[in-house]
Structures are given as C-alpha cells and as structure tokens.
C-alpha cells in the first residue's frame, strides 16, 4: 500500500515537473516570438524610412545597425530555447524511467504478497 502511495506521489511529481517545464518552454518561446515580431517590424520600418528619406542615409543606416544589433541579441536566446528543449527531453526520459520502476515495484509487491500468502497457508 505504501508503494501505491509512492507511485501516486511520484506520478504527481513527474506530472508537475512536466507541467512546469512545458509552461517555462511555452513562455520562453512566446517571448522569443514576440522579439522576432518586433525585429521584423523594425526591419520593415527601417526599409520604409530608407526609401522615403534617401537623403537621410545616416538615419536609415543607424536604424539598420540598431536592427542588426537586436538580431544578434535575439540569437543569444536560441541557446536558452535549446536548453529548455533538452530539459523537456530529459523530463520525458525521467517519466519513462519512473513508469518502468513503478511497474517493477508493482511486480515485486505482487510476488511478496504471494509469498506471504504461501507462508501463512
């Protein structure tokens, strides 16, 4: 019976961890998508400014440099996304191990109960 409680607790923990990492992954990906959308908008603004104000090349050039700098900074988020994906994969593997151990514990519990019944008979 204690093993069943541990199984439920282990499953709850694994499910909670999975939910947590999924939420973090979704949040980070959403933030990155928002940053990408902002970068695309800045790029379009930069192109439009460059076309309309060709005489103001320095301004358009400065905006282009700014957009390129933002793109470089955005690239640093890729490593975090990879780390979140790796954690998610590890969590999936951990859940598989927990499930296998749960089955093994159930099998051992059944064998112990059977042996106890044979001894008491």
């Amino acid at each position: 019976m204690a093993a069943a409680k541990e199984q439920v607790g282990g499953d709850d923990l694994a499910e909670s961890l999975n939910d947590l990492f999924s939420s973090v992954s979704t949040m980070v990906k959403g933030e990155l998508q928002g940053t990408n959308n902002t970068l695309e908008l800045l790029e379009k603004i930069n192109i439009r400014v460059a076309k309309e104000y060709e005489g103001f090349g320095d301004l358009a050039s400065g905006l282009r440099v700014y957009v390129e700098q933002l793109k470089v900074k955005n690239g640093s988020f890729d490593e975090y996304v990879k780390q979140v994906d790796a954690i998610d994969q590890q969590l999936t593997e951990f859940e598989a191990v927990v499930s296998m151990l749960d089955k093994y514990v159930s099998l051992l519990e059944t064998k112990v109960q059977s042996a106890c019944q044979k001894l008491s008979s």
Side-chain angles (χ1 to χ4, degrees):
M1 184 168 285
K5 287 182 182 179
E6 284 185 35
Q7 172 196 0
V8 171
D11 288 346
D12 288 345
L13 175 62
E15 184 176 320
S16 294
L17 285 172
N18 187 34
D19 290 346
L20 173 67
F21 285 115
S22 293
S23 296
V24 169
S25 176
T26 301
M27 182 182 71
V28 169
K29 287 178 183 177
E31 289 291 323
L32 291 175
Q33 184 61 43
T35 301
N36 286 336
N37 290 342
T38 302
L39 290 174
E40 289 174 13
L41 178 61
L42 284 172
E43 183 78 29
K44 289 177 183 177
I45 290 170
N46 189 28
I47 291 169
R48 177 77 185 253
V49 167
K51 285 180 182 176
E52 293 213 6
Y53 299 101
E54 287 186 64
F56 298 96
D58 291 339
L59 176 63
S61 177
L63 286 174
R64 181 167 295 281
V65 168
Y66 179 69
V67 168
E68 292 303 319
Q69 289 173 345
L70 285 175
K71 283 183 179 179
V72 168
K73 287 180 181 178
N74 185 45
S76 66
F77 287 111
D78 291 342
E79 184 61 27
Y80 295 118
V81 171
K82 289 177 186 175
Q83 289 176 1
V84 168
D85 288 340
I87 290 169
D88 188 43
Q89 179 62 34
Q90 290 173 349
L91 181 60
T92 300
E93 293 170 5
F94 176 72
E95 289 174 336
V97 169
V98 168
S99 177
M100 181 185 68
L101 289 173
D102 179 52
K103 290 177 185 177
Y104 183 72
V105 167
S106 294
L107 178 65
L108 286 176
E109 189 175 42
T110 302
K111 287 182 178 182
V112 168
Q113 287 175 350
S114 175
C116 286
Q117 286 176 353
K118 286 181 182 178
L119 290 175
S120 63
S121 323

Short mmCIF file of all heavy atoms in Angstrom, two decimals, residues 36-102:
data_model
loop_
_atom_site.label_atom_id
_atom_site.label_comp_id
_atom_site.label_asym_id
_atom_site.label_seq_id
_atom_site.Cartn_x
_atom_site.Cartn_y
_atom_site.Cartn_z
N ASN A 36 10.98 38.35 -32.09
CA ASN A 36 11.12 38.21 -33.53
C ASN A 36 10.14 39.11 -34.28
O ASN A 36 10.49 39.72 -35.28
CB ASN A 36 10.92 36.75 -33.96
CG ASN A 36 12.10 35.88 -33.60
OD1 ASN A 36 13.21 36.37 -33.44
ND2 ASN A 36 11.88 34.59 -33.46
N ASN A 37 8.90 39.20 -33.79
CA ASN A 37 7.91 40.07 -34.42
C ASN A 37 8.35 41.52 -34.35
O ASN A 37 8.20 42.27 -35.31
CB ASN A 37 6.54 39.90 -33.75
CG ASN A 37 5.92 38.55 -34.04
OD1 ASN A 37 6.31 37.86 -34.97
ND2 ASN A 37 4.96 38.15 -33.24
N THR A 38 8.90 41.93 -33.21
CA THR A 38 9.40 43.29 -33.05
C THR A 38 10.54 43.56 -34.02
O THR A 38 10.60 44.62 -34.66
CB THR A 38 9.87 43.53 -31.60
OG1 THR A 38 8.78 43.28 -30.72
CG2 THR A 38 10.38 44.93 -31.40
N LEU A 39 11.44 42.58 -34.15
CA LEU A 39 12.56 42.74 -35.07
C LEU A 39 12.08 42.88 -36.52
O LEU A 39 12.59 43.71 -37.27
CB LEU A 39 13.53 41.57 -34.95
CG LEU A 39 14.34 41.50 -33.66
CD1 LEU A 39 15.14 40.21 -33.61
CD2 LEU A 39 15.25 42.69 -33.54
N GLU A 40 11.10 42.07 -36.89
CA GLU A 40 10.55 42.16 -38.25
C GLU A 40 9.89 43.51 -38.48
O GLU A 40 10.07 44.11 -39.56
CB GLU A 40 9.56 41.02 -38.49
CG GLU A 40 10.22 39.66 -38.61
CD GLU A 40 9.22 38.52 -38.69
OE1 GLU A 40 8.02 38.78 -38.91
OE2 GLU A 40 9.66 37.36 -38.55
N LEU A 41 9.17 44.00 -37.49
CA LEU A 41 8.54 45.32 -37.62
C LEU A 41 9.61 46.41 -37.76
O LEU A 41 9.49 47.30 -38.62
CB LEU A 41 7.65 45.60 -36.40
CG LEU A 41 6.97 46.97 -36.37
CD1 LEU A 41 6.04 47.12 -37.58
CD2 LEU A 41 6.21 47.15 -35.08
N LEU A 42 10.65 46.36 -36.94
CA LEU A 42 11.73 47.33 -37.05
C LEU A 42 12.41 47.26 -38.41
O LEU A 42 12.77 48.29 -38.99
CB LEU A 42 12.76 47.12 -35.93
CG LEU A 42 12.36 47.60 -34.55
CD1 LEU A 42 13.38 47.14 -33.52
CD2 LEU A 42 12.22 49.10 -34.51
N GLU A 43 12.58 46.07 -38.92
CA GLU A 43 13.18 45.90 -40.25
C GLU A 43 12.31 46.56 -41.32
O GLU A 43 12.81 47.28 -42.18
CB GLU A 43 13.37 44.40 -40.55
CG GLU A 43 14.05 44.12 -41.87
CD GLU A 43 15.56 44.32 -41.81
OE1 GLU A 43 16.14 44.15 -40.74
OE2 GLU A 43 16.12 44.66 -42.86
N LYS A 44 11.01 46.36 -41.24
CA LYS A 44 10.09 46.97 -42.22
C LYS A 44 10.10 48.50 -42.09
O LYS A 44 10.08 49.21 -43.10
CB LYS A 44 8.67 46.43 -42.02
CG LYS A 44 8.52 44.99 -42.47
CD LYS A 44 7.13 44.46 -42.20
CE LYS A 44 7.03 42.99 -42.58
NZ LYS A 44 5.73 42.42 -42.27
N ILE A 45 10.12 48.98 -40.85
CA ILE A 45 10.19 50.43 -40.63
C ILE A 45 11.49 50.98 -41.21
O ILE A 45 11.49 52.03 -41.86
CB ILE A 45 10.08 50.76 -39.12
CG1 ILE A 45 8.67 50.47 -38.61
CG2 ILE A 45 10.47 52.20 -38.84
CD1 ILE A 45 8.54 50.55 -37.10
N ASN A 46 12.56 50.27 -40.97
CA ASN A 46 13.85 50.70 -41.47
C ASN A 46 13.86 50.78 -43.00
O ASN A 46 14.35 51.76 -43.58
CB ASN A 46 14.94 49.74 -40.98
CG ASN A 46 16.33 50.24 -41.26
OD1 ASN A 46 16.57 51.44 -41.35
ND2 ASN A 46 17.27 49.32 -41.42
N ILE A 47 13.31 49.79 -43.65
CA ILE A 47 13.24 49.79 -45.11
C ILE A 47 12.38 50.96 -45.61
O ILE A 47 12.75 51.67 -46.54
CB ILE A 47 12.71 48.43 -45.62
CG1 ILE A 47 13.75 47.34 -45.37
CG2 ILE A 47 12.35 48.50 -47.10
CD1 ILE A 47 13.25 45.93 -45.58
N ARG A 48 11.27 51.16 -44.95
CA ARG A 48 10.37 52.26 -45.35
C ARG A 48 11.04 53.62 -45.16
O ARG A 48 10.97 54.48 -46.04
CB ARG A 48 9.08 52.19 -44.52
CG ARG A 48 8.09 53.28 -44.74
CD ARG A 48 7.33 53.05 -46.04
NE ARG A 48 6.46 54.15 -46.34
CZ ARG A 48 5.14 54.11 -46.22
NH1 ARG A 48 4.56 53.00 -45.82
NH2 ARG A 48 4.44 55.16 -46.52
N VAL A 49 11.70 53.80 -44.03
CA VAL A 49 12.41 55.05 -43.77
C VAL A 49 13.51 55.25 -44.81
O VAL A 49 13.70 56.35 -45.34
CB VAL A 49 12.98 55.07 -42.33
CG1 VAL A 49 13.97 56.21 -42.15
CG2 VAL A 49 11.86 55.17 -41.32
N ALA A 50 14.22 54.19 -45.12
CA ALA A 50 15.31 54.29 -46.10
C ALA A 50 14.77 54.71 -47.47
O ALA A 50 15.39 55.52 -48.16
CB ALA A 50 16.04 52.95 -46.20
N LYS A 51 13.61 54.18 -47.85
CA LYS A 51 13.02 54.53 -49.15
C LYS A 51 12.52 55.97 -49.16
O LYS A 51 12.71 56.70 -50.12
CB LYS A 51 11.88 53.58 -49.49
CG LYS A 51 12.34 52.21 -49.91
CD LYS A 51 11.16 51.31 -50.24
CE LYS A 51 11.63 49.92 -50.62
NZ LYS A 51 10.51 49.01 -50.86
N GLU A 52 11.83 56.36 -48.10
CA GLU A 52 11.21 57.69 -48.08
C GLU A 52 12.21 58.81 -47.81
O GLU A 52 12.00 59.94 -48.24
CB GLU A 52 10.09 57.74 -47.04
CG GLU A 52 8.94 56.85 -47.42
CD GLU A 52 7.60 57.38 -46.97
OE1 GLU A 52 7.53 58.51 -46.44
OE2 GLU A 52 6.63 56.66 -47.15
N TYR A 53 13.25 58.50 -47.12
CA TYR A 53 14.21 59.54 -46.74
C TYR A 53 15.61 59.18 -47.23
O TYR A 53 16.57 59.16 -46.46
CB TYR A 53 14.20 59.74 -45.22
CG TYR A 53 12.88 60.18 -44.68
CD1 TYR A 53 12.04 59.26 -44.07
CD2 TYR A 53 12.45 61.50 -44.80
CE1 TYR A 53 10.80 59.65 -43.58
CE2 TYR A 53 11.22 61.90 -44.32
CZ TYR A 53 10.40 60.98 -43.71
OH TYR A 53 9.18 61.36 -43.23
N GLU A 54 15.71 58.94 -48.52
CA GLU A 54 17.01 58.55 -49.07
C GLU A 54 18.08 59.58 -48.77
O GLU A 54 19.24 59.25 -48.62
CB GLU A 54 16.89 58.31 -50.58
CG GLU A 54 16.16 57.02 -50.90
CD GLU A 54 16.17 56.73 -52.38
OE1 GLU A 54 17.25 56.52 -52.93
OE2 GLU A 54 15.07 56.70 -52.96
N GLY A 55 17.70 60.82 -48.68
CA GLY A 55 18.66 61.88 -48.38
C GLY A 55 19.16 61.82 -46.95
O GLY A 55 20.18 62.42 -46.60
N PHE A 56 18.45 61.11 -46.13
CA PHE A 56 18.83 60.99 -44.72
C PHE A 56 19.45 59.60 -44.48
O PHE A 56 19.05 58.86 -43.59
CB PHE A 56 17.62 61.18 -43.81
CG PHE A 56 16.99 62.54 -43.92
CD1 PHE A 56 15.90 62.76 -44.75
CD2 PHE A 56 17.51 63.60 -43.20
CE1 PHE A 56 15.33 64.01 -44.84
CE2 PHE A 56 16.94 64.86 -43.29
CZ PHE A 56 15.84 65.07 -44.13
N GLY A 57 20.43 59.30 -45.29
CA GLY A 57 21.06 57.97 -45.25
C GLY A 57 21.64 57.61 -43.90
O GLY A 57 21.62 56.46 -43.50
N ASP A 58 22.16 58.60 -43.19
CA ASP A 58 22.77 58.31 -41.89
C ASP A 58 21.74 57.77 -40.90
O ASP A 58 22.01 56.84 -40.15
CB ASP A 58 23.44 59.56 -41.32
CG ASP A 58 24.68 59.97 -42.09
OD1 ASP A 58 25.24 59.10 -42.79
OD2 ASP A 58 25.07 61.15 -41.98
N LEU A 59 20.54 58.36 -40.93
CA LEU A 59 19.49 57.90 -40.03
C LEU A 59 19.08 56.47 -40.35
O LEU A 59 19.00 55.62 -39.46
CB LEU A 59 18.27 58.83 -40.12
CG LEU A 59 17.05 58.41 -39.31
CD1 LEU A 59 17.38 58.43 -37.82
CD2 LEU A 59 15.88 59.31 -39.61
N ALA A 60 18.85 56.22 -41.65
CA ALA A 60 18.46 54.87 -42.05
C ALA A 60 19.56 53.88 -41.74
O ALA A 60 19.30 52.76 -41.30
CB ALA A 60 18.12 54.85 -43.55
N SER A 61 20.79 54.29 -41.96
CA SER A 61 21.92 53.42 -41.67
C SER A 61 21.99 53.11 -40.18
O SER A 61 22.24 51.96 -39.78
CB SER A 61 23.22 54.09 -42.13
OG SER A 61 24.33 53.30 -41.79
N GLY A 62 21.77 54.14 -39.37
CA GLY A 62 21.77 53.93 -37.92
C GLY A 62 20.69 52.96 -37.47
O GLY A 62 20.91 52.11 -36.61
N LEU A 63 19.50 53.08 -38.08
CA LEU A 63 18.42 52.15 -37.74
C LEU A 63 18.77 50.72 -38.16
O LEU A 63 18.47 49.77 -37.45
CB LEU A 63 17.11 52.58 -38.41
CG LEU A 63 16.41 53.79 -37.79
CD1 LEU A 63 15.21 54.19 -38.64
CD2 LEU A 63 15.98 53.51 -36.37
N ARG A 64 19.39 50.59 -39.31
CA ARG A 64 19.78 49.25 -39.77
C ARG A 64 20.78 48.62 -38.80
O ARG A 64 20.67 47.45 -38.46
CB ARG A 64 20.36 49.31 -41.18
CG ARG A 64 20.75 47.92 -41.70
CD ARG A 64 21.04 47.89 -43.16
NE ARG A 64 19.89 48.17 -43.98
CZ ARG A 64 18.92 47.31 -44.27
NH1 ARG A 64 18.96 46.10 -43.75
NH2 ARG A 64 17.91 47.64 -45.03
N VAL A 65 21.74 49.42 -38.35
CA VAL A 65 22.72 48.92 -37.37
C VAL A 65 22.00 48.51 -36.09
O VAL A 65 22.28 47.45 -35.52
CB VAL A 65 23.79 50.00 -37.08
CG1 VAL A 65 24.63 49.61 -35.87
CG2 VAL A 65 24.68 50.21 -38.29
N TYR A 66 21.04 49.31 -35.66
CA TYR A 66 20.27 49.00 -34.46
C TYR A 66 19.52 47.67 -34.62
O TYR A 66 19.53 46.83 -33.72
CB TYR A 66 19.28 50.14 -34.17
CG TYR A 66 18.42 49.92 -32.96
CD1 TYR A 66 18.96 49.95 -31.67
CD2 TYR A 66 17.07 49.68 -33.09
CE1 TYR A 66 18.17 49.73 -30.56
CE2 TYR A 66 16.26 49.47 -31.99
CZ TYR A 66 16.82 49.50 -30.72
OH TYR A 66 16.03 49.30 -29.64
N VAL A 67 18.88 47.49 -35.77
CA VAL A 67 18.15 46.24 -36.02
C VAL A 67 19.11 45.06 -36.04
O VAL A 67 18.80 44.00 -35.47
CB VAL A 67 17.36 46.34 -37.36
CG1 VAL A 67 16.83 44.98 -37.77
CG2 VAL A 67 16.22 47.33 -37.22
N GLU A 68 20.26 45.23 -36.66
CA GLU A 68 21.23 44.13 -36.69
C GLU A 68 21.71 43.79 -35.28
O GLU A 68 21.89 42.63 -34.95
CB GLU A 68 22.42 44.50 -37.59
CG GLU A 68 22.08 44.60 -39.06
CD GLU A 68 21.47 43.32 -39.63
OE1 GLU A 68 21.94 42.22 -39.28
OE2 GLU A 68 20.50 43.45 -40.41
N GLN A 69 21.91 44.80 -34.46
CA GLN A 69 22.32 44.56 -33.07
C GLN A 69 21.23 43.80 -32.31
O GLN A 69 21.51 42.89 -31.53
CB GLN A 69 22.64 45.87 -32.36
CG GLN A 69 23.91 46.52 -32.83
CD GLN A 69 24.11 47.91 -32.24
OE1 GLN A 69 23.19 48.52 -31.70
NE2 GLN A 69 25.32 48.42 -32.35
N LEU A 70 19.97 44.17 -32.55
CA LEU A 70 18.86 43.45 -31.91
C LEU A 70 18.81 42.00 -32.37
O LEU A 70 18.53 41.09 -31.59
CB LEU A 70 17.52 44.14 -32.21
CG LEU A 70 17.26 45.43 -31.45
CD1 LEU A 70 15.94 46.05 -31.93
CD2 LEU A 70 17.19 45.19 -29.96
N LYS A 71 19.08 41.77 -33.65
CA LYS A 71 19.09 40.39 -34.17
C LYS A 71 20.18 39.57 -33.50
O LYS A 71 19.97 38.41 -33.16
CB LYS A 71 19.30 40.39 -35.68
CG LYS A 71 18.07 40.76 -36.47
CD LYS A 71 18.34 40.65 -37.96
CE LYS A 71 17.12 40.99 -38.77
NZ LYS A 71 17.38 40.90 -40.21
N VAL A 72 21.35 40.18 -33.29
CA VAL A 72 22.45 39.48 -32.63
C VAL A 72 22.05 39.13 -31.19
O VAL A 72 22.27 38.01 -30.73
CB VAL A 72 23.74 40.33 -32.65
CG1 VAL A 72 24.80 39.74 -31.73
CG2 VAL A 72 24.27 40.43 -34.07
N LYS A 73 21.43 40.09 -30.50
CA LYS A 73 20.99 39.83 -29.13
C LYS A 73 19.93 38.74 -29.09
O LYS A 73 19.90 37.90 -28.20
CB LYS A 73 20.46 41.11 -28.48
CG LYS A 73 21.54 42.09 -28.14
CD LYS A 73 20.99 43.34 -27.49
CE LYS A 73 22.09 44.33 -27.19
NZ LYS A 73 21.58 45.56 -26.61
N ASN A 74 19.03 38.75 -30.07
CA ASN A 74 17.97 37.74 -30.13
C ASN A 74 18.57 36.35 -30.33
O ASN A 74 18.06 35.37 -29.82
CB ASN A 74 16.99 38.06 -31.25
CG ASN A 74 15.82 37.11 -31.27
OD1 ASN A 74 15.25 36.81 -30.24
ND2 ASN A 74 15.49 36.62 -32.44
N GLY A 75 19.67 36.27 -31.07
CA GLY A 75 20.31 34.98 -31.30
C GLY A 75 20.78 34.32 -30.02
O GLY A 75 20.84 33.10 -29.92
N SER A 76 21.08 35.13 -29.00
CA SER A 76 21.54 34.55 -27.73
C SER A 76 20.41 33.79 -27.03
O SER A 76 20.68 32.96 -26.17
CB SER A 76 22.09 35.64 -26.82
OG SER A 76 21.08 36.54 -26.43
N PHE A 77 19.16 34.07 -27.38
CA PHE A 77 18.05 33.34 -26.78
C PHE A 77 17.94 31.91 -27.33
O PHE A 77 17.34 31.05 -26.70
CB PHE A 77 16.72 34.07 -27.01
CG PHE A 77 16.56 35.30 -26.18
CD1 PHE A 77 16.56 36.55 -26.77
CD2 PHE A 77 16.40 35.21 -24.82
CE1 PHE A 77 16.41 37.69 -26.01
CE2 PHE A 77 16.25 36.34 -24.04
CZ PHE A 77 16.25 37.59 -24.64
N ASP A 78 18.51 31.68 -28.49
CA ASP A 78 18.44 30.34 -29.09
C ASP A 78 19.04 29.29 -28.16
O ASP A 78 18.53 28.17 -28.06
CB ASP A 78 19.15 30.32 -30.44
CG ASP A 78 18.43 31.13 -31.50
OD1 ASP A 78 17.23 31.43 -31.31
OD2 ASP A 78 19.07 31.44 -32.52
N GLU A 79 20.12 29.64 -27.47
CA GLU A 79 20.76 28.71 -26.54
C GLU A 79 19.80 28.34 -25.40
O GLU A 79 19.72 27.18 -25.00
CB GLU A 79 22.05 29.30 -25.99
CG GLU A 79 22.83 28.36 -25.09
CD GLU A 79 23.26 27.08 -25.78
OE1 GLU A 79 23.45 27.05 -27.00
OE2 GLU A 79 23.38 26.07 -25.07
N TYR A 80 19.06 29.33 -24.91
CA TYR A 80 18.10 29.06 -23.83
C TYR A 80 16.98 28.15 -24.32
O TYR A 80 16.54 27.25 -23.59
CB TYR A 80 17.51 30.37 -23.28
CG TYR A 80 18.54 31.23 -22.60
CD1 TYR A 80 18.84 32.49 -23.07
CD2 TYR A 80 19.23 30.76 -21.48
CE1 TYR A 80 19.79 33.29 -22.45
CE2 TYR A 80 20.18 31.54 -20.86
CZ TYR A 80 20.46 32.80 -21.34
OH TYR A 80 21.40 33.57 -20.73
N VAL A 81 16.52 28.37 -25.54
CA VAL A 81 15.47 27.51 -26.10
C VAL A 81 15.98 26.08 -26.22
O VAL A 81 15.28 25.12 -25.88
CB VAL A 81 14.99 28.04 -27.47
CG1 VAL A 81 14.07 27.05 -28.15
CG2 VAL A 81 14.29 29.38 -27.30
N LYS A 82 17.23 25.93 -26.65
CA LYS A 82 17.83 24.60 -26.74
C LYS A 82 17.92 23.94 -25.36
O LYS A 82 17.65 22.74 -25.22
CB LYS A 82 19.21 24.67 -27.38
CG LYS A 82 19.19 24.99 -28.86
CD LYS A 82 20.60 25.13 -29.42
CE LYS A 82 20.56 25.60 -30.87
NZ LYS A 82 21.91 25.84 -31.39
N GLN A 83 18.27 24.73 -24.36
CA GLN A 83 18.37 24.19 -23.00
C GLN A 83 17.00 23.76 -22.50
O GLN A 83 16.87 22.70 -21.87
CB GLN A 83 18.98 25.22 -22.06
CG GLN A 83 20.45 25.47 -22.29
CD GLN A 83 21.01 26.57 -21.41
OE1 GLN A 83 20.30 27.17 -20.60
NE2 GLN A 83 22.30 26.87 -21.57
N VAL A 84 15.98 24.56 -22.77
CA VAL A 84 14.62 24.21 -22.35
C VAL A 84 14.17 22.92 -23.05
O VAL A 84 13.58 22.03 -22.43
CB VAL A 84 13.63 25.37 -22.63
CG1 VAL A 84 12.20 24.92 -22.47
CG2 VAL A 84 13.92 26.53 -21.69
N ASP A 85 14.48 22.81 -24.35
CA ASP A 85 14.12 21.59 -25.09
C ASP A 85 14.87 20.37 -24.53
O ASP A 85 14.30 19.28 -24.43
CB ASP A 85 14.42 21.77 -26.57
CG ASP A 85 13.43 22.72 -27.25
OD1 ASP A 85 12.33 22.94 -26.70
OD2 ASP A 85 13.76 23.21 -28.34
N ALA A 86 16.13 20.56 -24.16
CA ALA A 86 16.91 19.46 -23.58
C ALA A 86 16.32 19.04 -22.24
O ALA A 86 16.21 17.84 -21.95
CB ALA A 86 18.37 19.87 -23.42
N ILE A 87 15.93 20.00 -21.43
CA ILE A 87 15.30 19.69 -20.14
C ILE A 87 13.98 18.95 -20.36
O ILE A 87 13.68 17.98 -19.66
CB ILE A 87 15.07 20.98 -19.32
CG1 ILE A 87 16.41 21.54 -18.84
CG2 ILE A 87 14.15 20.73 -18.13
CD1 ILE A 87 16.33 22.94 -18.25
N ASP A 88 13.22 19.39 -21.35
CA ASP A 88 11.95 18.73 -21.67
C ASP A 88 12.20 17.28 -22.08
O ASP A 88 11.48 16.37 -21.66
CB ASP A 88 11.25 19.50 -22.78
CG ASP A 88 9.86 18.99 -23.03
OD1 ASP A 88 9.12 18.72 -22.06
OD2 ASP A 88 9.48 18.87 -24.21
N GLN A 89 13.24 17.03 -22.88
CA GLN A 89 13.58 15.67 -23.30
C GLN A 89 14.00 14.83 -22.09
O GLN A 89 13.60 13.68 -21.96
CB GLN A 89 14.70 15.71 -24.35
CG GLN A 89 15.14 14.34 -24.81
CD GLN A 89 14.04 13.55 -25.48
OE1 GLN A 89 13.19 14.11 -26.15
NE2 GLN A 89 14.04 12.25 -25.29
N GLN A 90 14.81 15.41 -21.21
CA GLN A 90 15.25 14.69 -20.02
C GLN A 90 14.05 14.35 -19.13
O GLN A 90 13.99 13.26 -18.55
CB GLN A 90 16.26 15.52 -19.23
CG GLN A 90 17.60 15.65 -19.91
CD GLN A 90 18.53 16.61 -19.19
OE1 GLN A 90 18.12 17.34 -18.31
NE2 GLN A 90 19.79 16.62 -19.60
N LEU A 91 13.10 15.26 -19.05
CA LEU A 91 11.91 15.03 -18.25
C LEU A 91 11.10 13.87 -18.83
O LEU A 91 10.61 13.01 -18.11
CB LEU A 91 11.05 16.29 -18.18
CG LEU A 91 9.78 16.19 -17.34
CD1 LEU A 91 10.11 15.84 -15.89
CD2 LEU A 91 9.01 17.48 -17.41
N THR A 92 10.99 13.84 -20.15
CA THR A 92 10.27 12.74 -20.80
C THR A 92 10.95 11.41 -20.50
O THR A 92 10.28 10.41 -20.19
CB THR A 92 10.22 12.99 -22.32
OG1 THR A 92 9.55 14.23 -22.56
CG2 THR A 92 9.50 11.87 -23.04
N GLU A 93 12.27 11.39 -20.57
CA GLU A 93 13.01 10.16 -20.27
C GLU A 93 12.85 9.79 -18.79
O GLU A 93 12.71 8.61 -18.45
CB GLU A 93 14.48 10.35 -20.62
CG GLU A 93 14.73 10.50 -22.10
CD GLU A 93 16.14 10.93 -22.45
OE1 GLU A 93 16.99 11.03 -21.54
OE2 GLU A 93 16.38 11.16 -23.63
N PHE A 94 12.87 10.79 -17.92
CA PHE A 94 12.68 10.55 -16.49
C PHE A 94 11.32 9.92 -16.22
O PHE A 94 11.19 8.99 -15.43
CB PHE A 94 12.83 11.87 -15.73
CG PHE A 94 12.57 11.76 -14.25
CD1 PHE A 94 13.46 11.13 -13.41
CD2 PHE A 94 11.41 12.30 -13.71
CE1 PHE A 94 13.21 11.02 -12.05
CE2 PHE A 94 11.16 12.20 -12.35
CZ PHE A 94 12.06 11.57 -11.52
N GLU A 95 10.30 10.42 -16.89
CA GLU A 95 8.95 9.88 -16.72
C GLU A 95 8.89 8.42 -17.17
O GLU A 95 8.22 7.59 -16.53
CB GLU A 95 7.93 10.71 -17.51
CG GLU A 95 7.68 12.06 -16.92
CD GLU A 95 6.79 12.93 -17.79
OE1 GLU A 95 6.72 12.71 -19.01
OE2 GLU A 95 6.17 13.83 -17.22
N ALA A 96 9.60 8.10 -18.23
CA ALA A 96 9.64 6.71 -18.70
C ALA A 96 10.31 5.81 -17.66
O ALA A 96 9.84 4.69 -17.40
CB ALA A 96 10.38 6.63 -20.04
N VAL A 97 11.39 6.29 -17.05
CA VAL A 97 12.08 5.51 -16.02
C VAL A 97 11.18 5.33 -14.80
O VAL A 97 11.08 4.24 -14.24
CB VAL A 97 13.41 6.20 -15.62
CG1 VAL A 97 14.00 5.56 -14.37
CG2 VAL A 97 14.39 6.13 -16.77
N VAL A 98 10.48 6.40 -14.39
CA VAL A 98 9.57 6.32 -13.25
C VAL A 98 8.47 5.31 -13.54
O VAL A 98 8.11 4.50 -12.67
CB VAL A 98 8.97 7.71 -12.92
CG1 VAL A 98 7.81 7.59 -11.94
CG2 VAL A 98 10.05 8.62 -12.34
N SER A 99 7.95 5.33 -14.74
CA SER A 99 6.89 4.39 -15.11
C SER A 99 7.41 2.95 -15.06
O SER A 99 6.73 2.05 -14.55
CB SER A 99 6.38 4.72 -16.51
OG SER A 99 5.42 3.78 -16.92
N MET A 100 8.62 2.73 -15.58
CA MET A 100 9.20 1.39 -15.57
C MET A 100 9.43 0.93 -14.12
O MET A 100 9.12 -0.21 -13.77
CB MET A 100 10.52 1.39 -16.33
CG MET A 100 11.18 0.02 -16.39
SD MET A 100 12.80 0.07 -17.15
CE MET A 100 13.73 0.98 -15.94
N LEU A 101 9.96 1.81 -13.29
CA LEU A 101 10.19 1.46 -11.88
C LEU A 101 8.87 1.18 -11.16
O LEU A 101 8.80 0.28 -10.32
CB LEU A 101 10.95 2.58 -11.16
CG LEU A 101 12.41 2.74 -11.56
CD1 LEU A 101 13.00 3.98 -10.90
CD2 LEU A 101 13.21 1.50 -11.19
N ASP A 102 7.83 1.93 -11.51
CA ASP A 102 6.52 1.70 -10.91
C ASP A 102 6.02 0.29 -11.25
O ASP A 102 5.51 -0.42 -10.39
CB ASP A 102 5.55 2.77 -11.42
CG ASP A 102 4.17 2.57 -10.85
OD1 ASP A 102 4.04 2.47 -9.61
OD2 ASP A 102 3.21 2.52 -11.63
#
